[in-house]
Amino acid sequence: MNKPVEIATLTGAQAVVEMLKAHRVEVVFGLCGDTSLPLYDALRAGSLKHILTRDERHAAYMADGYARLSGKVGVCEGPSGGGATYILPGLVEANESSIPVLAINTDVSVSSRGKFTLTELDQRALMRPLTKWNAVIDRSTDIPRTMRKAFEAMTTGRPGAAHIALPFDVQNGPVDQQDVYADPTHGSFPSRRVAPDPFFVELAAKLLRKAKSPLFICGGGVVLAGAEAELRVLARAIGAPVATTISGKGSIDERDPSAVGVVGSNGGTPETRALVQAADLIIFVGCRAGSVTTERWRYPAPGQARILHIDVDPAVPGTNYKVDVPLVGDAKLCLAALHDALEGYSRPSDLSAVERQKKAKFERFGALARSGESPIKPERVVAELDAALPEDAIVVADPGTPCPYFSAYYVVKGTGRRYFSNRAHGALGYALAASIGAHIARPQVKTVAVMGDGSFGMCVGELETVVRLNLPITFVVIANAVYGWIKAGQRAGYGKRYFSVDFGVTDHAKVASAFGVRSWRVTDPRELSAVLRSALGHGGPTLVDIVCQPLHEAQAPVSEWVA
Ligand SMILES: Cc1ncc(C[n+]2csc(CCOP(=O)(O)OP(=O)(O)O)c2C)c(N)n1
């Protein structure tokens, strides 16, 4: 008699863990809850590393930072109800920044729905408008295919975030082990590169040949696609300077003579704007040409230049500018195809305007950076950190003073992800948690998070996580006891009618040391260099609290406050 075939059965929770592993996930960031007990039991037994966080928002930011540096999907988890509403901000940022982050929130049992069950909420409806893809799993047998779909959605086309709600009873239901398989290439991004239509490549090549003063504006898509080498080759061939958005920093080594730096209203300067204005062809690459990059669609001015717009998302070219040629596809493949289509054509480059404008920008910056005034000028902080950090360091900048100043003046040396900020929503309090994820993805290099004191107040709890894990990250707090960026807006646009933007002074070094972080408070600019070097060289977590000139009194490197 034939023996009956034995079908190995996993629980739903075990299947979730196995599906993550099948997609080559190694680490999960998250926070426990009642509805997550089966999942935690499976995580305990599995080989995934779990980083316990102190807030689900930060779990998602950690997954985001991890994904940006590892090139893999970042995974975070939290419980039902508040766990879902708290994880949401991180998911939104990742989605809008085209970063693949998977959030799993456990949920009340399917059988408990609609009975005023504690923490019940409609996670499907909550997450739908904010993610690229989302699902509530109602049956345990649906777990494997739902997770395959989530990974595919996150890493193909424009990358984005996905959300899965996992009810309590589904975690305990059966899953056939044979169903638990994955295409591991969907665990990294971009997992499928889309080549451009050769017809549009030819049109674009014609445009490039005709241009007299082309200029690239590269967004985050270049770094996401790993297209830095193709960009360099094409930029050399057509003699074009390369400007970037904040997320595009790392598209080009900023010491390169053709590198313009960041353009736009948050990190751009009059000099970078002048270079945009001088172009007769703008080549946007992996860039949405949004309000910040274009200073509300004014630079380039509509009609000023011809536009070649390269993006993996067909909805992007043509949205904000009348585009002469749209080129839809992966940035790496598009830039390579364009270079091939030029068939050896090359234009001698004249980078003298770039050199002149950069010199003017950095001379102005240098004069302020050398200032011995107290409170310390933000320029001095940027210059001292720039000088003290190794070339391969990772810098994560929060909104407020850090983002515009570091975007404008911190020189990224080398290509790839070395500097980032949460540019989709610019929510305060991102950098600390994102730097944890970044460090876990790339532990061999130094990671620094720079934040305002407004941001510090929104993320300080995660210092416990940093200390528990003994992560050698350096946190820099630009302390000025004010929501400075907004106060600067009140100065610039509202006749200095300051209102409800000042808060009290905190000794952030003392707060950090109470968590167990080695910390310093600096008020004298002459001490800054030595303190930063001690902090960067220390083997554990460090924090440097720098009493700084508030932004509304400083010369912010922005042309205008725009919304
Ligand atoms: C969650 C969130 N709330 C409000 C804002 C609006 N906002 C932008 S910059 C800023 C002030 C930042 O203050 P701080 O972190 O102290 O840095 P500073 O500008 O003083 O350098 C505020 C409130 C925001 N970006 N994120």
Side-chain angles (χ1 to χ4, degrees):
M1 201 174 85
N2 285 339
K3 275 173 82 183
V5 181
E6 278 201 16
I7 299 173
T9 305
L10 302 177
T11 66
Q14 287 168 335
V16 168
V17 172
E18 292 307 314
M19 286 302 295
L20 291 175
K21 281 159 59 180
H23 286 97
R24 300 213 178 117
V25 172
E26 290 170 24
V27 55
V28 176
F29 303 89
L31 199 156
C32 49
D34 307 45
T35 49
S36 305
L37 287 168
L39 179 63
Y40 269 56
D41 209 32
L43 282 167
R44 187 192 58 80
S47 58
L48 290 175
K49 186 172 178 170
H50 186 267
I51 307 280
L52 175 67
T53 69
R54 302 301 303 271
D55 171 344
E56 293 85 351
R57 174 164 54 110
H58 297 121
Y61 286 158
M62 287 177 208
D64 171 333
Y66 175 85
R68 288 184 202 238
L69 267 297
S70 67
K72 295 168 66 170
V73 172
V75 181
C76 54
E77 58 82 22
S80 52
T85 54
Y86 277 26
I87 218 164
L88 184 146
L91 214 49
V92 176
E93 177 60 42
N95 195 46
E96 286 297 310
S97 287
S98 308
I99 305 298
V101 166
L102 171 64
I104 300 173
N105 279 102
T106 56
D107 202 356
V108 300
S109 288
V110 175
S111 58
S112 306
R113 284 189 191 147
K115 298 180 177 174
F116 308 119
T117 305
L118 182 70
T119 75
E120 182 180 4
L121 60 79
D122 187 346
Q123 292 194 31
R124 194 192 311 267
L126 179 70
M127 300 296 178
R128 182 176 295 141
L130 306 170
T131 51
K132 185 172 178 194
W133 189 91
N134 76 314
V136 177
I137 304 184
D138 288 340
R139 288 180 308 192
S140 54
T141 48
D142 291 341
I143 288 173
R145 70 177 173 81
T146 308
M147 291 189 67
R148 283 191 286 272
K149 187 75 201 143
F151 275 86
E152 180 223 297
M154 284 185 284
T155 61
T156 55
R158 182 172 88 81
H163 184 266
I164 290 176
L166 191 64
F168 187 86
D169 47 5
V170 171
Q171 296 171 58
N172 292 322
V175 178
D176 178 350
Q177 190 160 28
Q178 284 189 354
D179 243 4
V180 178
Y181 63 86
D183 177 343
T185 62
H186 280 145
S188 305
F189 60 98
S191 64
R192 305 287 182 268
R193 293 185 187 270
V194 180
D197 182 336
F199 173 75
F200 285 97
V201 173
E202 281 308 320
L203 291 182
K206 264 191 208 151
L207 210 55
L208 292 181
R209 284 198 193 95
K210 269 199 259 165
K212 290 197 173 57
S213 49
L215 173 101
F216 284 93
I217 300 183
C218 299
V222 172
V223 175
L224 284 172
E228 300 90 343
E230 289 74 11
L231 172 71
R232 189 174 60 243
V233 169
L234 184 63
R236 290 242 163 100
I238 64 168
V242 178
T244 75
T245 68
I246 296 164
S247 302
K249 246 170 129 74
S251 302
I252 183 167
D253 186 324
E254 292 187 314
R255 297 168 300 185
D256 191 293
S258 61
V260 168
V262 168
V263 296
S265 59
N266 199 308
T269 65
E271 294 84 3
T272 60
R273 181 200 275 173
L275 290 167
V276 173
Q277 285 177 299
D280 73 340
L281 171 68
I282 299 281
I283 310 155
F284 286 114
V285 191
C287 167
R288 297 195 291 186
S291 60
V292 170
T293 300
T294 61
E295 302 184 56
R296 276 188 72 79
W297 312 285
R298 292 178 303 172
Y299 307 103
Q304 166 208 311
R306 289 178 172 259
I307 305 281
L308 163 58
H309 204 146
I310 303 172
D311 204 280
V312 75
D313 182 348
V316 168
T319 293
N320 288 335
Y321 283 94
K322 181 171 170 293
V323 163
D324 292 275
V325 179
L327 198 58
V328 174
D330 172 81
K332 192 179 178 78
L333 299 186
C334 286
L335 293 170
L338 273 176
H339 187 251
D340 287 350
L342 287 174
E343 294 173 333
Y345 166 86
S346 87
R347 178 192 301 101
S349 57
D350 175 9
L351 297 170
S352 57
V354 178
E355 191 187 351
R356 204 172 51 249
Q357 296 290 4
K358 267 191 347 197
K359 193 161 170 273
K361 168 177 151 177
F362 279 99
E363 271 177 7
R364 205 163 22 81
F365 167 74
L368 296 164
R370 284 187 294 276
S371 162
E373 280 175 45
S374 301
I376 297 170
K377 287 203 180 294
E379 288 84 356
R380 179 127 189 185
V381 179
V382 181
E384 299 281 15
L385 251 183
D386 198 326
L389 277 172
E391 290 183 4
D392 58 2
I394 303 162
V395 175
V396 192
D398 258 321
T401 304
C403 183
Y405 280 89
F406 277 80
S407 298
Y409 303 121
Y410 177 73
V411 177
V412 167
K413 301 154 201 83
T415 54
R417 186 83 69 192
R418 286 156 197 249
Y419 172 87
F420 66 99
S421 186
N422 50 333
R423 285 318 302 162
H425 287 263
L428 302 180
Y430 165 85
L432 193 154
S435 74
I436 296 175
H439 171 79
I440 287 169
R442 205 181 282 178
Q444 64 278 20
V445 305
K446 183 71 203 179
T447 298
V448 175
V450 191
M451 67 201 77
D453 40 7
S455 280
F456 180 87
M458 296 203 191
C459 63
V460 53
E462 293 300 335
L463 284 179
E464 186 281 316
T465 309
V466 180
V467 171
R468 180 168 20 98
L469 301 174
N470 192 29
L471 305 178
I473 303 173
T474 297
F475 305 105
V476 174
V477 182
I478 310 261
N480 52 24
V482 59
Y483 287 122
W485 179 261
I486 307 305
K487 192 163 185 175
Q490 292 177 345
R491 181 200 59 186
Y494 292 83
K496 297 189 182 174
R497 294 190 296 281
Y498 298 133
F499 175 71
S500 213
V501 283
D502 296 294
F503 49 82
V505 173
T506 300
D507 186 331
H508 306 100
K510 272 197 186 145
V511 175
S513 75
F515 278 97
V517 176
R518 177 98 177 78
S519 31
W520 295 258
R521 184 168 171 83
V522 184
T523 53
D524 182 346
R526 287 166 304 183
E527 288 171 8
L528 192 54
S529 171
V531 168
L532 283 173
R533 283 165 204 273
S534 302
L536 296 172
H538 185 71
T542 50
L543 182 141
V544 183
D545 187 23
I546 307 174
V547 178
C548 270
Q549 182 187 32
L551 224 156
H552 68 284
E553 289 170 12
Q555 294 186 19
V558 291
S559 36
E560 219 169 308
W561 268 249
V562 289

